[in-house]
Amino acid sequence: MADAIFPRIMGASTTKEAWDTLQDEFQGTVKVSTVKLQKLRRDFENLKMKDNETAKDYYYRIREIVNKMGAYGEIIYDKKIVEKILISCTEKYDALISVIEETKDLDTLSLTELMGSLEAYETASEEKDTWYLDSGCSNHMTKNESIFCSLDKSKTRVKIGNGDFKEAVGKGSIAIDTKKGKRYINDVLLVPNIDQNLLSVGQMIEKG
């Protein structure tokens, strides 16, 4: 930049004329930077998570803009990024965010803690949507109460595929997505202490 300005001030006949040239150059640079920073601010404010975008990918998009803002002298602290993520995630995170807002101190919630919660929630959601056929378990069963269309709370013991017995705390109907569309399954047990969603082959045959 200095090499570009020097030829312009060489012809200045007075110090004031040279200073005015430098000032014009500086103000022009500041104006360009201000315009670019304003655009980045708008991009940051308007940023929202895309459908089917992971929390990590969304965070990377936010961080890219924040880093560019930092290059123009504006520092965005983690607290503001936390607030941004909480208000701009897609609806599938609503249940988790409600819990976070009710149980956490948002003034001290770290970005690392928030991202850990979001990623763990994604993993749990993926598991919730996966079902396994099991020829050894006596009943359909799941640990995810949120997927029941109807649920009657009652306790009973149920046998799982490895021969162990677990306590079921309710029975009801669920809806699952299949290649042929949504299907409803009745008499599904709510078993908090299992690792997977299980469809009993015996029960399916019995129900036709």
Side-chain angles (χ1 to χ4, degrees):
M1 181 175 175
D3 291 341
I5 295 175
F6 184 70
R8 297 177 59 185
I9 63 175
M10 281 180 56
S13 57
T14 65
T15 302
K16 183 179 184 307
E17 186 177 346
W19 173 252
D20 288 343
T21 299
L22 291 172
Q23 191 174 37
D24 288 344
E25 186 71 28
F26 176 76
Q27 288 178 341
T29 302
V30 169
K31 184 176 181 180
V32 170
S33 297
T34 301
V35 170
K36 290 182 178 179
L37 183 56
Q38 284 292 88
K39 182 182 183 303
L40 290 169
R41 287 171 179 162
R42 287 194 298 270
D43 290 343
F44 180 82
E45 293 301 324
N46 293 331
L47 199 62
K48 291 184 179 180
M49 180 182 278
K50 300 175 182 177
D51 291 337
N52 300 320
E53 185 176 31
T54 66
K56 182 179 290 187
D57 287 343
Y58 182 46
Y59 168 71
Y60 286 155
R61 287 204 296 128
I62 293 175
R63 177 56 68 183
E64 182 179 7
I65 292 177
V66 167
N67 289 344
K68 289 179 180 178
M69 294 172 72
Y72 289 103
E74 180 148 336
I75 305 302
I76 303 295
Y77 293 100
D78 284 356
K79 182 176 183 295
K80 188 171 182 64
I81 298 176
V82 167
E83 294 172 351
K84 175 65 180 178
I85 292 173
L86 288 174
I87 65 172
S88 60
C89 281
T90 55
E91 291 181 357
K92 71 178 181 180
Y93 296 92
D94 284 354
L96 173 64
I97 290 174
S98 294
V99 171
I100 290 175
E101 291 175 339
E102 292 173 5
T103 61
K104 301 289 185 179
D105 182 351
L106 300 185
D107 289 330
T108 59
L109 178 64
S110 70
L111 184 55
T112 300
E113 184 180 2
L114 174 60
M115 291 305 299
S117 296
L118 291 172
E119 290 175 22
Y121 185 77
E122 288 173 347
T123 300
S125 296
E126 290 172 1
E127 292 175 352
K128 180 182 71 174
D129 294 333
T130 303
W131 287 78
Y132 298 91
L133 288 172
D134 193 322
S135 59
C137 65
S138 57
N139 294 84
H140 305 319
M141 60 190 78
T142 178
K143 66 179 180 180
N144 299 299
E145 185 173 352
S146 63
I147 65 176
F148 281 87
C149 304
S150 62
L151 180 65
D152 295 324
K153 292 294 185 71
S154 61
K155 292 186 178 181
T156 186
R157 282 168 58 81
V158 61
K159 182 181 178 181
I160 61 176
N162 64 5
D164 290 343
F165 286 87
K166 300 286 187 180
E167 183 180 60
V169 297
K171 178 187 285 189
S173 300
I174 64 170
I176 64 174
D177 293 321
T178 73
K179 292 181 179 179
K180 295 183 179 181
K182 192 175 292 294
R183 293 290 185 268
Y184 293 90
I185 302 178
N186 301 319
D187 299 325
V188 180
L189 295 176
L190 175 60
V191 184
N193 295 319
I194 59 173
D195 297 326
Q196 300 171 328
N197 301 314
L198 302 177
L199 291 174
S200 167
V201 174
Q203 191 173 350
M204 292 178 70
I205 294 173
E206 180 184 341
K207 297 292 184 180

